[in-house]
Amino acid sequence: MTTIITGATSGIGKATSYELAKKGHALYLLVRDVVKGDELAKQLSRQTGNREIYSVKCDLSDLYSVRTAAEKLKSRLFAVNVLINNAGGIFPQRRTSKDGFEMTFAVNHLGHFLLTQQLMPLLIKGQARIINVSSEAHRVGRPNFNDLQGKESYSAWKAYGNAKLYNIWFTKSIADKFGDKGLTAFALHPGVVNSGFGTGLSGFSRLLLSLARPFMISPEKGAETTVYLATQATLHTKSGGYFKKKKPVKPSADANNVAYREKLWQLSELLITRDL
């Protein structure tokens, strides 16, 4: 199995990479910091005996970096069996990416949208599973299509909730648009994981996170549903589904809004071609 994963150097991504390395997957770790990525690849190889672990530079907030990473992968690989869009983040203050997009939108959605589009020939050849790490935070998502970039009104949690809702819309759209080509897609909530998530938050948000920390699960526990979706043999009938604790669960009502997710897809296609 050839598997690509973003956000592999910490938290859930690192734990997921370790479990898949143990299962013999040929792993391509897409990382912002190639020094950390190379160190992790060597570490996982030592720990698991798996020699097919590689790191590839990819900054999801930079569309040129995403395209460059995809071209490198296409030059090395014939097919991809699993793509795990795992990387994400929450940003206390509104920031913009190199391409001018609000950072939560860029990292959690648009970078993964472009990566998936660019890798589509390899994914189709590999009859791939595409796994998008979402969150129960999607239930507070209330997107404003006239202000996707949060210029008029920004809050960290609102932007994050919207982005996690986009992850589910993206998943359902892939299942609809590419199911006849053999692709399956799944979204998931990993649990509230004790990792570096939320570093930099302040005020009430920081207080809430500190109070919740004793009840958070480990990255290893948080990775279980991702690993399940990447390896379980009989999931094709659940394509487009949202999973929690390795079981399909019902997402929010907005998550099933076909018109909204089609609008997001069309807007995303426009945005990723804007800088060409």
Side-chain angles (χ1 to χ4, degrees):
M1 297 288 281
T2 298
T3 296
I4 295 170
I5 180 170
T6 67
T9 57
S10 63
I12 302 166
K14 187 174 181 179
T16 301
S17 299
Y18 174 70
E19 291 300 322
L20 294 178
K22 284 200 303 182
K23 294 178 183 296
H25 286 226
L27 284 179
Y28 289 80
L29 316 175
L30 269 55
V31 298
R32 281 183 303 167
D33 185 332
V34 287
V35 173
K36 284 180 70 175
D38 288 345
E39 289 174 354
L40 177 61
K42 291 174 185 175
Q43 177 188 338
L44 292 176
S45 290
R46 287 195 303 269
Q47 290 173 335
T48 66
N50 185 336
R51 297 292 178 255
E52 290 193 272
I53 305 175
Y54 314 94
S55 71
V56 177
K57 182 174 177 58
C58 181
D59 181 348
L60 287 161
S61 71
D62 179 348
L63 298 185
Y64 176 79
S65 177
V66 175
R67 287 192 178 93
T68 301
E71 287 305 313
K72 182 174 287 189
L73 290 164
K74 285 189 282 189
S75 72
R76 293 179 62 174
L77 300 173
F78 173 76
V80 173
N81 305 111
V82 181
L83 170 62
I84 304 174
N85 292 320
N86 165 80
I90 186 169
F91 301 89
Q93 285 80 41
R94 186 181 183 277
R95 293 166 51 191
T96 55
S97 70
K98 182 178 178 181
D99 304 293
F101 300 115
E102 189 277 312
M103 193 66 83
T104 319
F105 178 80
V107 172
N108 291 276
H109 169 66
L110 197 62
H112 284 133
F113 182 89
L114 175 60
L115 177 67
T116 306
Q117 293 276 57
Q118 292 287 298
L119 294 177
M120 194 57 72
L122 299 184
L123 296 168
I124 291 171
K125 285 178 184 174
Q127 301 289 278
R129 293 182 183 191
I130 299 166
I131 299 166
N132 297 314
V133 178
S134 180
S135 167
E136 282 291 272
H138 84 273
R139 298 185 188 278
V140 301
R142 297 292 184 272
N144 176 359
F145 282 101
N146 295 316
D147 188 31
L148 278 182
Q149 305 304 320
K151 292 180 180 179
E152 297 174 11
S153 173
Y154 179 83
S155 80
W157 285 110
K158 182 173 77 171
Y160 184 72
N162 287 345
K164 295 295 103 179
L165 179 57
Y166 302 155
N167 294 156
I168 298 178
W169 284 346
F170 183 39
T171 299
K172 290 181 177 296
S173 290
I174 292 169
D176 283 354
K177 293 175 184 294
F178 298 98
D180 62 346
K181 298 185 184 302
L183 299 190
T184 51
F186 307 93
L188 70 114
H189 170 61
V192 183
V193 177
N194 190 357
S195 64
F197 177 82
T199 302
L201 289 173
S202 59
F204 187 61
S205 294
R206 183 170 185 168
L207 175 62
L208 282 178
L209 275 179
S210 65
L211 291 173
R213 205 164 297 283
F215 306 99
M216 292 179 178
I217 61 175
S218 68
E220 291 72 23
K221 192 74 176 172
E224 287 182 357
T225 300
T226 305
V227 173
Y228 171 81
L229 291 172
T231 58
Q232 183 68 19
T234 56
L235 287 175
H236 62 279
T237 60
K238 306 293 185 183
S239 185
Y242 173 65
F243 283 70
K244 180 179 176 181
K245 296 181 179 178
K246 300 191 283 189
K247 294 182 179 179
V249 296
K250 189 175 180 180
S252 70
D254 280 342
N256 293 312
N257 190 314
V258 178
Y260 280 5
R261 63 178 166 87
E262 184 58 28
K263 189 168 187 176
L264 177 71
W265 186 282
Q266 292 171 359
L267 284 170
S268 299
E269 284 191 327
L270 286 172
L271 293 174
I272 62 173
T273 57
R274 192 181 70 178
D275 65 329
L276 292 178

